[in-house]
Amino acid sequence: MAIATINPATGETLKTFEPMDDRELDRRLALAAAEFERYRSTGFARRAEWMLSAARLMDEETEQLARLMTTEMGKPLAQARAETAKCVQGMRFYAEHAEEFLAPEPADAAAVNARRAEVRYRPLGPVLAVMPWNFPCWQVIRFAAPALMAGNVGLLKHASNVPQTALYLGELFARAGFPAGCFQTLLIESGRVEDVLRDARVVAATLTGSEAAGASVASVAGGEVKKTVLELGGSDPYVVMPSADVAAAAGTGVTARVQNNGQSCIAAKRFIVHDQVYDEFTERFVEGMRALRLGDPMDEATDVGPLATQRGRDDVERLVADAAGRGAHVLCGGVTPSRTGWYFEPTVLTGIRPGMRMFEEEVFGPVAQLYRVNDAAEAIALANATRFGLGAGVWTTDPAEQEYFAGELDAGLVFVNGMVRSYPELPFGGVKRSGYGRELSVQGIREFCDVKSVWIG
């Protein structure tokens, strides 16, 4: 795939970039390794000063950055602004809490026959981040902020269709005062990631993306005995029980399905509704999906913009066609509008069964699946009948049901009476084929640290 900005609303190629050659890539890796030896000794106060400066810069440049993201990957402009604000929040969070999160922790010295014993957290070195296009700033910042505050240095291999956003991020930290080499963007093709990961100067990697990409990176890193954190796909269930506020569940469900034009790993995808409220929920939900305005993502009135790539739109088309051709019912949408750009109408289907691709695969677009169940046990069984385990939403006001679902759902995140989202204060990640490791919160900053036991006699 070419490294290029292609406007998904028009299909127009706006700018192309030449990948850096091997000599420049080697120079960047050498710079990262050398800088780590200096940067690891800086104090938390100095790192926080630079991180807060980066947050201020991004905050001041919100409109410029939001328009850049919308141009490159098509999310509605209001959502791009919100993503920028979230990045600013994340940088400030780690600037304020990193020293606390990584403070030495006393251990029971008497139990280990020591005069003093403690656990310390020390940085590992240059970390490679392979990042996706769907949240082109937030996905990077939620790695970069904790990694830099921990004393690591970062190397960003971003998705090839958001090169200008990638370059902005590479320059942001340098403009904020971080020494050259602390965070660098590598404009390289995906096929060269393996060589970078095998390089001895790179000590670990984090990837957000597809199962295939995650498996590839994990395989290479395993052979090199290097730490990885993987955040992969999701086919998140959204369960609605009889005690729920059905109107709120349906309204939030629409947003949860079409956020980011439906291109989110933690978007609600499979709506599992109890028989007692199924008809009411379906009516409200379909009405909400039909009412969405599909259009130019730069238009403030637009609810759903284009999918980010032509390939992504084509994949959604094929999944819907496969389900419809095997007997699923399309309640709304289901077609590609006759307009320029990579658009797909908000769609709701019922009658999804095993054997249909959609039952097994993640649908990365504004397409919802509706299922009817008779009780909580059936809802749990269906929710867990997937190889994914990222997020899950549940709507119930029954305290016993809330505890039951929170305990039994196979997911890294369970949100009750609300939409699944990420917060700097909470760990983020999945189980099963959705990956391993955690980002955000205290767990996220410790992922790329040497957890060192110190025993003093």
Side-chain angles (χ1 to χ4, degrees):
M1 178 186 290
I3 301 177
T5 298
I6 304 174
N7 188 340
T10 64
E12 179 185 5
T13 299
L14 302 177
K15 195 168 185 179
T16 59
F17 297 82
E18 285 295 320
M20 60 178 55
D21 59 25
D22 290 342
R23 178 177 295 182
E24 175 62 11
L25 178 58
D26 184 71
R27 187 188 74 80
R28 298 288 183 103
L29 295 176
L31 178 59
E35 187 53 55
F36 171 67
E37 295 305 320
R38 295 184 289 267
Y39 180 68
R40 66 188 302 177
S41 300
T42 59
F44 285 106
R46 177 58 60 87
R47 296 175 201 164
E49 176 187 339
W50 292 331
M51 189 62 67
L52 290 172
S53 177
R56 283 193 297 271
L57 284 171
M58 185 178 284
D59 193 31
E60 293 167 358
E61 296 162 359
T62 291
E63 192 64 20
Q64 167 194 340
L65 180 56
R67 288 184 173 275
L68 178 57
M69 286 191 284
T70 295
T71 297
E72 289 203 306
M73 57 73 56
K75 70 173 73 228
L77 187 57
Q79 294 180 31
R81 293 190 189 107
E83 180 175 340
T84 303
K86 192 168 189 173
C87 292
V88 171
Q89 177 191 7
M91 286 187 280
R92 289 174 175 163
F93 175 80
Y94 278 108
E96 294 166 1
H97 294 286
E99 186 170 12
E100 166 198 345
F101 290 160
L102 300 181
E105 296 179 343
D108 187 343
V112 296
N113 195 31
R115 181 169 54 85
R116 181 160 63 95
E118 64 185 24
V119 177
R120 299 180 186 176
Y121 299 93
R122 298 296 295 162
L124 293 179
V127 181
L128 173 65
V130 182
M131 293 288 108
W133 47 260
N134 57 336
F135 293 94
C137 276
W138 173 237
Q139 302 278 11
V140 175
I141 292 299
R142 74 187 195 192
F143 153 73
L148 288 170
M149 285 304 303
N152 294 301
V153 300
L155 295 160
L156 171 63
K157 192 297 180 197
H158 216 325
S160 295
N161 59 324
V162 290
Q164 294 186 71
T165 304
L167 291 170
Y168 171 89
L169 291 165
E171 295 163 359
L172 173 70
F173 294 106
R175 290 193 293 130
F178 284 92
C182 278
F183 194 86
Q184 301 178 82
T185 288
L186 309 178
L187 282 186
I188 59 174
E189 309 93 326
S190 297
R192 297 167 71 189
V193 167
E194 178 175 347
D195 290 340
V196 175
L197 187 50
R198 291 192 186 280
D199 192 289
R201 291 166 291 191
V202 174
V203 300
T206 180
L207 177 141
T208 299
S210 68
E211 287 180 81
S216 175
V217 164
S219 177
V220 173
E224 298 293 328
V225 196
K226 294 181 180 181
K227 172 72 179 288
T228 54
V229 170
L230 304 181
E231 194 266 281
L232 309 178
S235 188
D236 288 10
Y238 187 96
V239 179
V240 184
M241 296 299 288
S243 66
D245 180 334
V246 176
T252 301
V254 170
T255 302
R257 175 60 282 212
V258 303
Q259 60 170 321
N260 211 47
N261 303 337
Q263 302 163 122
S264 170
C265 295
I266 56 170
K269 299 182 177 79
R270 297 178 297 131
F271 293 79
I272 300 169
V273 186
H274 193 283
D275 179 70
Q276 292 180 24
V277 292
Y278 181 87
D279 291 340
E280 179 186 355
F281 179 88
T282 299
E283 181 179 355
R284 291 179 180 274
F285 183 71
V286 172
E287 180 182 359
M289 291 286 279
R290 281 191 180 128
L292 293 168
R293 178 169 176 175
L294 186 74
D296 182 354
M298 289 293 187
D299 185 338
E300 301 285 359
T302 291
D303 298 308
V304 180
L307 298 185
T309 66
Q310 183 174 1
R311 177 179 176 180
R313 195 272 308 278
D314 293 347
D315 286 345
V316 171
E317 281 183 334
R318 284 191 285 267
L319 286 167
V320 171
D322 173 79
R326 295 173 184 268
H329 304 290
V330 180
L331 301 186
C332 70
V335 297
T336 301
S338 57
R339 60 184 300 163
T340 303
W342 301 316
Y343 292 88
F344 195 81
E345 290 186 359
T347 299
V348 181
L349 298 101
T350 62
I352 304 299
R353 304 186 310 275
M356 297 177 182
R357 289 181 56 199
M358 191 177 293
F359 189 85
E360 303 290 341
E361 300 177 31
E362 178 181 22
V363 186
F364 222 54
V367 177
Q369 306 168 47
L370 279 178
Y371 297 86
R372 186 195 299 259
V373 294
N374 294 309
D375 54 35
E378 187 179 353
I380 288 285
L382 181 56
N384 290 344
T386 172
R387 64 180 184 272
F388 299 108
L390 190 52
V394 182
W395 285 74
T396 173
T397 58
D398 182 326
E401 282 186 345
Q402 292 173 357
E403 289 302 314
Y404 175 61
F405 279 102
E408 296 301 318
L409 284 167
D410 295 336
L413 308 96
V414 177
F415 278 55
V416 180
N417 298 328
M419 187 175 85
V420 177
R421 63 181 75 225
S422 58
Y423 292 95
E425 297 84 357
L426 291 173
F428 184 95
V431 295
K432 300 196 291 189
R433 300 288 290 188
S434 288
Y436 53 75
R438 291 296 180 264
E439 298 176 291
L440 303 176
S441 187
V442 62
Q443 287 85 356
I445 197 171
R446 291 176 178 176
E447 283 283 5
F448 294 113
C449 286
D450 171 16
V451 184
K452 180 182 296 186
S453 295
V454 177
W455 184 99
I456 300 174

